[in-house]
């Protein structure tokens, strides 16, 4: 009987996004502390993990509009959004776009 350790929301998000979108770069930053006074944070029951910045580079974004790319991220994280994740700031680029300076 080992103790079960629940993964943080950021870890779950990273695993889901990596698997679904085959990211070549994936950065997830928890910025929930910046929203500590918001009612959604206080009432979320999510342990404060409610607001994140996500930067993702994926070949699956090729040919997709920015709106479609964001929809792909939101669809992948649907379970998290229905269980306390309140807000995402998303940067979603193709490998080609990321390589351009």
């Amino acid at each position: 009987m080992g103790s079960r350790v629940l993964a943080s929301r950021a870890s779950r998000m990273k695993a889901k996004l990596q698997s679904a979108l085959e990211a070549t770069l994936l950065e997830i930053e928890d910025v929930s502390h910046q929203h500590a006074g918001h009612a959604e944070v206080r009432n979320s029951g999510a342990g404060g993990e409610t607001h994140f910045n996500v930067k993702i580079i994926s070949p699956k974004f090729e040919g997709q509009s920015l709106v479609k790319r964001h929809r792909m991220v939101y669809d992948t994280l649907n379970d998290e959004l229905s269980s306390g994740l309140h807000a995402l700031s998303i940067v979603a680029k193709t490998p080609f776009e990321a390589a351009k300076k």
Side-chain angles (χ1 to χ4, degrees):
M1 283 177 92
S3 65
R4 183 179 146 157
V5 177
L6 296 176
S8 70
R9 184 180 304 277
S11 296
R12 292 191 310 267
M13 289 170 50
K14 188 167 191 163
K16 290 174 185 180
L17 289 169
Q18 185 65 53
S19 176
L21 300 177
E22 300 169 6
T24 58
L25 179 114
L26 180 55
E27 296 174 356
I28 298 178
E29 177 186 17
D30 184 348
V31 293
S32 302
H33 64 280
Q34 297 173 353
H35 305 273
H38 295 188
E40 293 84 7
V41 175
R42 288 192 312 268
N43 300 327
S44 72
E49 295 182 296
T50 56
H51 292 70
F52 290 87
N53 294 336
V54 175
K55 180 178 180 181
I56 182 168
I57 299 172
S58 170
K60 291 199 171 191
F61 294 149
E62 294 286 347
Q64 303 297 327
S65 70
L66 185 58
V67 170
K68 178 65 175 170
R69 295 173 191 189
H70 283 220
R71 177 54 45 208
M72 292 166 75
V73 171
Y74 280 110
D75 288 349
T76 301
L77 298 177
N78 189 49
D79 289 350
E80 299 298 334
L81 287 159
S82 64
S83 67
L85 175 58
H86 178 68
L88 293 173
S89 172
I90 302 169
V91 174
K93 296 183 178 186
T94 67
F96 177 76
E97 292 167 338
K100 293 191 312 185
K101 293 288 176 181

